[in-house]
Amino acid sequence: MKRMLSGIKPTGQLTLGNYIGALRNFVKYQDDYEMFVFIANLHCVTVYQDPKELRKNLKDAIALYLACGLDPEKSTIFLQSDVMEQAQLGFLLTCTTYMGELNRMTQFKDKLAKQEKNITAGLYVYPSLMAADILAYDADYVPVGDDQKQHVELARDLAERFNNRYSPTFTVPEPLVAKVGARIMSLTEPTKKMSKSDETNKGCIYLLDEIPVARKKIMGAVTDMLAKVQYDKVNQPGISNLLEIMSSLSGEPIEDICARFEGKGYGEFKKAVADVVCDTLQQIQDRYHEIINSGQIDKVLEDGANKARYIAHKKLMKVQKKIGIEIRK
Ligand code: AQP
């Protein structure tokens, strides 16, 4: 069985973008792949986090993983910091990464452009840690949203570099980007990605938003003056985004949705999108409330960490021997 690995960094509450671009795919894939899903808590602290909020966001994220349908019997679910081997391999891979490669990472460049001061060295080198996250487990596939594809490509380059420099050690991973929903956009600025750290909160639907709040956000989504429900990302980015959201959640092809709403107003269309979004959120939230204080989370994390650690430890030892820093047989 091929192995698949992915993670989410809960720097805030998880969003509909995380669900459509990542989580729901993890759930789909867990039947056909050996699935490893982690909470990237080390990646979170590349930008300062309030400790109390971070603890809540991490616990909520695990509860949401389970609420969205990840099954600990099928998937290995763990906290990144529980597998210290990942961080150590991260350092070794940082020493395999060239600064020019990190300078080219668009996520880093975007963050640099947004918050000019106090960018941490951790934020700069985190793609090398992400490569270690992936390569420690010999993942064949990494399902990601569009924005993370570049980081998986770096992991591929590092795996190939290491394999060529020493000898075959790492599986070279493939990014898997879905055709629809790989980049859900902000509802208020549909040319920008829907992000947890959206300053206004209005452009972003959080999985734990109260249902009326989520509905209001969809009804207030920015559209255009063309009065036509059609998929045209250049001239109608707002409507196209709503179409992607609806199609991803309902499974109805975009062309069919457009045909169904031909000649109808945006109000009616938005109401239908809101119904689909709110149904999804309601189901997730019902399960989240059953899980959050059930005591299930600690056990899931402990079992997941034990399984993940065993694999990552073996890989780290192999790497250290090849590099020459491990001198015991
Ligand atoms: N808007 C999105 N559309 C589709 N996929 C998305 N993902 C995130 N946002 C969208 C995918 O979710 C996975 C986990 O991403 P992440 O939360 O670890 O990192 P991120 O992409 O940096 O998310 P944010 O919300 O934009 O974080 P902040 O605001 O902290 O920078 C990834 O596969 C990602 O592609």
Side-chain angles (χ1 to χ4, degrees):
M1 201 184 230
K2 294 273 188 191
R3 190 173 283 172
M4 190 174 270
L5 173 135
S6 202
I8 294 184
K9 69 173 162 49
T11 39
Q13 284 286 316
L14 299 196
T15 70
L16 191 65
N18 287 136
Y19 178 71
I20 295 176
L23 259 174
R24 76 186 173 116
N25 298 324
F26 303 168
V27 174
K28 228 171 20 196
Y29 291 132
Q30 69 182 344
D31 288 321
D32 301 319
Y33 295 89
E34 191 189 355
M35 191 75 193
F36 285 72
V37 189
F38 66 100
I39 299 276
N41 57 351
L42 294 179
H43 292 289
C44 283
V45 295
T46 53
V47 174
Y48 173 78
Q49 305 290 317
D50 175 76
K52 198 166 154 214
E53 262 175 47
L54 181 58
R55 275 181 218 114
K56 173 162 173 30
N57 289 335
L58 294 176
K59 191 172 172 195
D60 279 350
I62 300 152
L64 283 169
Y65 274 19
L66 300 173
C68 289
L70 273 179
D71 176 354
E73 298 289 321
K74 296 181 188 166
S75 299
T76 303
I77 302 168
F78 63 103
L79 267 184
Q80 186 184 24
S81 63
D82 275 347
V83 185
M84 290 179 222
E85 286 81 354
Q86 257 168 260
Q88 184 147 331
L89 183 60
F91 178 75
L92 297 174
L93 289 181
T94 305
C95 299
T96 312
T97 313
Y98 304 133
M99 286 177 70
E101 289 172 316
L102 296 176
N103 291 339
R104 282 197 292 277
M105 294 292 128
T106 46
Q107 271 217 342
F108 174 73
K109 287 198 289 192
D110 288 353
K111 288 236 157 64
L112 195 65
K114 268 199 246 162
Q115 39 149 293
E116 287 131 31
K117 285 193 209 142
N118 299 334
I119 296 270
T120 69
L123 184 68
Y124 182 63
V125 296
Y126 109 83
S128 303
L129 175 58
M130 178 164 159
D133 299 333
I134 300 167
L135 302 183
Y137 299 96
D138 280 327
D140 297 286
Y141 297 106
V142 185
V144 282
D146 197 36
D147 57 324
Q148 290 287 346
K149 198 166 162 236
Q150 196 188 26
H151 291 162
V152 182
E153 270 151 15
L154 177 71
R156 287 173 61 82
D157 291 345
L158 295 183
E160 277 166 0
R161 187 170 305 153
F162 193 99
N163 290 349
N164 290 334
R165 192 174 282 171
Y166 301 98
S167 60
T169 309
F170 294 119
T171 298
V172 180
E174 294 273 351
L176 276 190
V177 183
K179 287 203 180 72
V180 175
R183 195 170 178 82
I184 298 300
M185 309 309 266
S186 159
L187 299 173
T188 48
E189 285 178 83
T191 49
K192 274 173 52 183
K193 190 184 106 174
M194 182 183 283
S195 269
K196 303 176 201 85
S197 52
D198 174 12
E199 291 99 25
T200 66
N201 270 350
K202 286 191 186 147
C204 178
I205 300 223
Y206 296 95
L207 295 180
L208 294 177
D209 267 347
E210 286 176 17
I211 302 299
V213 172
R215 183 171 289 280
K216 204 166 159 200
K217 286 181 183 174
I218 298 276
M219 295 311 289
V222 164
T223 52
D224 52 66
M225 305 294 279
L226 298 176
K228 199 163 178 203
V229 177
Q230 62 184 359
Y231 192 73
D232 175 353
K233 275 180 144 172
V234 177
N235 298 306
Q236 296 186 263
I239 290 293
S240 303
N241 190 36
L242 292 175
L243 278 166
E244 282 211 30
I245 291 175
M246 186 160 180
S247 172
S248 309
L249 297 180
S250 67
E252 188 179 1
I254 288 182
E255 313 83 79
D256 294 9
I257 304 175
C258 293
R260 202 151 58 81
F261 285 92
E262 205 182 323
K264 297 194 176 146
Y266 283 170
E268 198 173 334
F269 170 59
K270 281 179 171 179
K271 188 179 167 302
V273 178
D275 286 345
V276 173
V277 170
C278 291
D279 271 1
T280 306
L281 294 189
Q282 189 67 64
Q283 284 176 33
I284 294 173
Q285 290 179 12
D286 288 347
R287 287 199 293 269
Y288 163 88
H289 289 298
E290 285 165 21
I291 293 162
I292 190 71
N293 291 317
S294 68
Q296 199 186 338
I297 290 176
D298 288 359
K299 165 101 177 77
V300 168
L301 290 183
E302 199 181 315
D303 291 351
N306 286 336
K307 196 168 160 210
R309 208 178 284 130
Y310 177 77
I311 298 169
H313 184 76
K314 273 200 350 204
K315 180 60 75 178
L316 178 68
M317 286 303 121
K318 199 170 176 185
V319 167
Q320 294 194 157
K321 280 183 190 150
K322 292 204 182 187
I323 293 177
I325 60 172
E326 173 58 60
I327 53 173
R328 287 158 297 189
K329 284 260 177 242

